[in-house]
């Protein structure tokens, strides 16, 4: 199996969630072994998508270099990672990735418009060898476990009548991601949105790009796309955060009330001990390569 990039450049203009200003974004192909990088065209700075460049995880995953940042990268990276793209240049002219409708479905469409191109060098993946977890005293937990498949399991519990307890099992393929994960939107509570706006954040947030809840119900007139849209979006975020591993994951991700911050701590902890993982060549590892071939083939058939 070979590394992947997009077949042609594509552009989009959208609004940033927090600043609320228009952002122009262009995706460009890159050659083998160049990885995924952001380029801030207004500042002339390139920021690789690597865990050591993560500078903030409170409201979103933010990477930075030389005092230049790119914020809210997780939805775009979720789609890029789900489509198996290894090499890509993302050019933006502001400090925040467009939020679109609050999901990653628009990015899936953008990638499909660009097409996917196989490169000359073989694709690599990171295979989990030992269980690694990060926990909090409150019972939050994120974990990576050995598996010959690619699986995401997520559980959430909110003291809210529209959410409650939800769990979702995602057995990875592009088709399953596109249909069951990518359409799930980010969500927030009205009182939180009001507070964020008071401190200059969430200026671009609206019911056009997020699920908004008051104390008892969903305020969006169209309602939910899935009954369990909330936990599905948490998986969407987790897929994007795992892009910071730099290689496609072979293993099981499991979370209880996970977050961007815990996901970042998890990627760091995994790499602290080389016995936790193995970087495999998918030209040589036939069984793992078949997992990806099956996961990739359905949507591209």
């Amino acid at each position: 199996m070979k590394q992947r990039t997009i077949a042609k450049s594509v552009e989009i203009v959208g609004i940033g969630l927090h600043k609320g200003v228009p952002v122009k974004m262009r995706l460009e192909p890159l050659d083998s072994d160049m990885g995924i990088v952001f380029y801030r065209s207004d500042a002339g700075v390139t920021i690789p998508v690597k865990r050591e460049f993560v500078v903030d995880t409170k409201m979103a995953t933010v990477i930075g270099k030389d005092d230049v940042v790119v914020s809210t990268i997780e939805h775009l990276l979720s789609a890029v990672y789900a489509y198996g793209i290894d090499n890509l240049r993302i050019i933006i002219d502001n400090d925040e990735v467009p939020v679109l409708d609050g999901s990653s479905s628009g990015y899936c469409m953008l990638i499909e418009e660009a097409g996917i191109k196989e490169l000359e060098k073989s694709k690599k993946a990171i295979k989990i060898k030992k269980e690694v977890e990060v926990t909090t005293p409150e019972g939050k937990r994120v974990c990576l476990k050995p598996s010959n498949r690619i699986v995401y399991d997520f559980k959430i519990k909110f003291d809210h009548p529209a959410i409650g307890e939800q769990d979702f099992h995602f057995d990875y393929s592009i088709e399953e991601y596109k249909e069951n994960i990518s359409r799930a939107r980010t969500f927030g509570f009205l009182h939180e949105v009001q507070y964020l706006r008071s401190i200059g954040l969430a200026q671009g947030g609206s019911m056009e790009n997020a699920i908004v809840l008051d104390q008892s119900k969903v305020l969006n007139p169209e309602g939910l796309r899935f009954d369990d849209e909330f936990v599905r979006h948490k998986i969407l975020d987790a897929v994007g955060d795992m892009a910071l591993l730099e290689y496609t994951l072979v293993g099981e991700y499991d979370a209880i009330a996970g977050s961007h911050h815990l996901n970042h701590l998890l990627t760091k902890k995994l790499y602290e001990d080389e016995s936790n993982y193995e970087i495999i060549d998918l030209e040589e590892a036939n069984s793992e390569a078949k997992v990806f071939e099956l996961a990739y083939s359905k949507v591209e058939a």
Side-chain angles (χ1 to χ4, degrees):
M1 176 167 284
K2 303 296 186 182
Q3 291 182 35
R4 298 177 139 209
T5 187
I6 55 174
K8 66 177 183 180
S9 297
V10 285
E11 288 186 0
I12 196 169
V13 176
I15 298 295
L17 176 63
H18 286 301
K19 284 197 171 181
V21 297
V23 182
K24 183 179 179 181
M25 186 178 77
R26 179 179 174 88
L27 307 184
E28 293 184 347
L30 282 183
D31 289 333
S32 298
D33 296 335
M34 297 190 73
I36 300 169
V37 300
F38 281 89
Y39 177 69
R40 279 280 303 272
S41 59
D42 57 319
V45 173
T46 295
I47 309 172
V49 174
K50 297 183 178 182
R51 65 196 178 281
E52 57 263 38
F53 291 98
V54 174
V55 295
D56 191 9
T57 52
K58 289 190 292 291
M59 300 300 302
T61 298
V62 184
I63 56 174
K65 179 184 173 187
D66 300 333
D67 296 323
V68 175
V69 302
V70 179
S71 178
T72 324
I73 63 175
E74 59 271 10
H75 298 174
L76 169 61
L77 289 183
S78 184
V80 168
Y81 198 57
Y83 275 71
I85 294 170
D86 306 284
N87 307 283
L88 184 69
R89 190 180 193 222
I90 305 160
I91 302 172
I92 64 171
D93 63 358
N94 212 307
D95 63 1
E96 193 171 18
V97 173
V99 67
L100 304 185
D101 70 346
S103 76
S104 65
S105 61
Y107 294 124
C108 294
M109 289 187 281
L110 196 65
I111 291 167
E112 292 185 3
E113 178 189 340
I116 293 173
K117 176 184 176 182
E118 286 200 340
L119 299 167
E120 290 185 4
K121 292 192 177 181
S122 60
K123 185 180 181 74
K124 293 181 172 61
I126 182 166
K127 185 170 183 176
I128 306 304
K129 302 292 285 183
K130 289 165 56 179
E131 184 170 321
V132 178
E133 71 173 9
V134 176
T135 61
T136 73
E138 300 79 23
K140 297 179 179 181
R141 175 179 179 267
V142 291
C143 178
L144 288 170
K145 303 176 184 178
S147 175
N148 289 325
R149 299 183 300 144
I150 307 160
V151 175
Y152 286 78
D153 278 301
F154 213 114
K155 295 180 181 179
I156 60 172
K157 183 178 180 180
F158 282 82
D159 185 17
H160 190 285
I163 306 177
E165 293 188 35
Q166 297 184 2
D167 61 83
F168 196 83
H169 174 87
F170 170 51
D171 210 334
Y172 167 73
S173 73
I174 294 178
E175 183 177 55
E176 286 296 313
Y177 177 86
K178 184 179 174 184
E179 293 300 319
N180 293 314
I181 302 298
S182 76
R183 295 175 55 240
R185 296 162 293 175
T186 192
F187 61 94
F189 300 95
L190 186 59
H191 68 276
E192 293 177 345
V193 174
Q194 291 167 339
Y195 168 72
L196 290 171
R197 286 182 174 169
S198 75
I199 60 172
L201 298 175
Q203 301 300 309
S206 72
M207 285 186 279
E208 299 295 318
N209 53 41
I211 304 167
V212 181
L213 304 103
D214 64 12
Q215 292 183 338
S216 62
K217 63 184 181 301
V218 172
L219 297 178
N220 302 59
E222 75 279 11
L224 298 174
R225 294 175 178 175
F226 310 95
D227 289 341
D228 55 359
E229 188 168 355
F230 306 96
V231 71
R232 293 182 193 226
H233 184 80
K234 289 292 190 179
I235 290 180
L236 186 158
D237 279 345
V239 173
D241 286 342
M242 289 305 103
L244 277 298
L245 290 171
E246 300 175 48
Y247 301 96
T248 303
L249 172 69
V250 178
E252 180 178 342
Y253 170 95
D254 186 76
I256 300 171
S259 65
H260 296 305
H261 180 60
L262 292 179
N263 288 338
H264 175 51
L265 295 180
L266 182 63
T267 59
K268 288 174 65 179
K269 187 171 183 178
L270 177 73
Y271 277 110
E272 286 174 1
D273 185 344
E274 291 185 359
S275 68
N276 290 334
Y277 64 92
E278 177 186 6
I279 306 300
I280 58 174
D281 187 317
L282 292 177
E283 291 284 279
E284 300 171 358
N286 291 330
S287 60
E288 288 85 359
K290 287 178 181 176
V291 171
F292 285 101
E293 286 168 0
L294 182 63
Y296 291 171
S297 63
K298 293 180 181 178
V299 79
E300 296 167 359

